[in-house]
Amino acid sequence: MRFLLSGVSAAFANGIRRACMSEVPILAIDDISLYDNTSVLFDEQISLRLGLVPLQAEDLDVFSRPEECQCKGEGCPGCRVDFMLSSEGPGMVYSKDIQFTDSSVKPAFDKIPIVILGEGEKLVIEGFATKRVGRDHSKWQAGTLCGYKNLASIEVAPDCDGCEKCIEICPRHVLSLEQNKAKATNILECSLCKLCIGECEAKAIKLESILDSFVYTIEGSGTMPVKDMVARSAIEIKNRASDLDAKLAELS
Ligand code: SF4
Ligand code: SF4
Ligand SMILES: [Zn+2]
């Protein structure tokens, strides 16, 4: 998802980016018991692959993080979702073969390959998923690619002669010709590379970055819609700020 956030400090903008990657809780496979694995992959490789399968839940809020659960992390239906995976070759084992006991939880994508089984080879696994955050381990990272840049401001002075050199050099197709003058018509794409300025002999281009406006590019692993993830990142920041407030109040 791409969006523009204006009227905030660089610290806040970075807070949203970091929270998307490390503070938004999601489900991921946490622990497994391998009863049978006669595939070509080692147990550890199977375990790693299962841990990286993104999981979707109809309502993530029904699950607690283990350390916040009433069971105090012992493990209960409130903080873990059990699954079973049983397959026999020949054929590919896919993410869709992971069967959760709670039907509201499933892999985000059906066709993530786990391992290919030859004739008679078997894979029998039980395990459970828990809800944690990217700060605990990257497999609980909701946002996989989270970045931003400052929004650009481009003004073209009246002495532009419409030579189009800036338009031709711009790698992001930000500029176009309108009424024989260059104009920024695709400003969100500008990377502030300044190639256009170097090309303009008339020195007609004024380029600045707007310090309190940020163009975000956020990609998720499929565990939830990116829009929800960004909203949750803001909630997590707010919760942490409240926690800090409470702790500071205790000290004073
Ligand atoms: S700064 Fe770079 S990306 Fe932006 S308009 Fe100029 S050439 Fe294009
Ligand atoms: S290079 Fe300069 S003069 Fe030529 S179109 Fe662009 S802004 Fe105008
Ligand atoms: Zn519990």
Side-chain angles (χ1 to χ4, degrees):
M1 186 172 83
R2 295 188 76 205
F3 62 92
L4 180 66
L5 180 64
S6 295
V8 298
S9 66
F12 183 82
N14 196 37
I16 291 283
R17 182 190 71 82
R18 291 182 62 127
C20 283
M21 290 197 300
S22 57
E23 300 297 340
V24 175
I26 56 167
L27 288 171
I29 289 176
D30 194 355
D31 197 277
I32 64 166
S33 300
L34 265 141
Y35 296 111
D36 206 349
N37 174 23
T38 48
S39 76
V40 293
L41 290 189
F42 293 124
D43 295 353
E44 291 83 354
Q45 290 170 300
I46 300 279
S47 174
L48 173 72
R49 289 184 176 196
L50 290 174
L52 294 177
V53 172
L55 305 178
Q56 280 180 352
E58 276 169 26
D59 183 5
L60 258 178
D61 292 335
V62 300
F63 301 106
S64 305
R65 290 168 65 179
E67 61 274 21
E68 292 164 1
C69 186
Q70 56 186 9
C71 73
K72 298 195 167 50
E74 289 287 310
C76 75
C79 63
R80 63 168 63 166
V81 194
D82 294 330
F83 76 90
M84 176 84 198
L85 171 58
S86 179
S87 203
E88 185 169 352
M92 178 69 83
V93 181
Y94 287 105
S95 48
K96 67 177 164 56
D97 300 316
I98 305 169
Q99 300 294 324
F100 286 93
T101 50
D102 182 332
S103 58
S104 71
V105 176
K106 62 180 177 59
F109 307 98
D110 284 344
K111 287 248 166 173
I112 299 172
I114 308 293
V115 63
I116 190 161
L117 297 178
E119 182 74 41
E121 290 178 354
K122 280 187 190 170
L123 191 62
V124 182
I125 298 172
E126 266 181 13
F128 61 84
T130 55
K131 183 168 120 175
R132 295 181 194 271
V133 294
R135 194 158 32 91
D136 298 323
H137 188 288
S138 54
K139 67 182 175 180
W140 282 287
Q141 201 173 311
T144 47
L145 185 156
C146 305
Y148 61 81
K149 61 183 180 184
N150 280 105
L151 178 66
S153 158
I154 298 178
E155 283 176 30
V156 179
D159 40 354
C160 163
D161 61 15
C163 71
E164 297 189 40
K165 283 185 183 164
C166 58
I167 298 169
E168 284 157 21
I169 194 98
C170 176
R172 300 285 187 99
H173 310 292
V174 174
L175 303 154
S176 51
L177 204 63
E178 280 189 11
Q179 295 173 340
N180 212 31
K181 305 271 182 212
K183 189 176 177 188
T185 50
N186 193 14
I187 196 73
L188 290 186
E189 290 298 328
C190 179
S191 64
L192 295 154
C193 70
K194 300 185 179 168
L195 284 173
C196 50
I197 292 182
E199 205 68 8
C200 181
E201 286 163 19
K203 306 283 179 224
I205 300 177
K206 189 177 165 205
L207 173 71
E208 284 178 350
S209 61
I210 303 177
L211 296 180
D212 69 348
S213 288
F214 302 89
V215 182
Y216 281 79
T217 303
I218 308 264
E219 187 180 288
S221 59
T223 52
M224 67 176 73
V226 174
K227 203 172 155 189
D228 293 356
M229 180 171 71
V230 175
R232 277 175 181 266
S233 75
I235 292 168
E236 294 302 326
I237 290 177
K238 201 172 169 186
N239 289 344
R240 287 176 67 117
S242 303
D243 284 353
L244 182 62
D245 245 4
K247 287 192 174 113
L248 289 174
E250 278 171 28
L251 291 175
S252 61

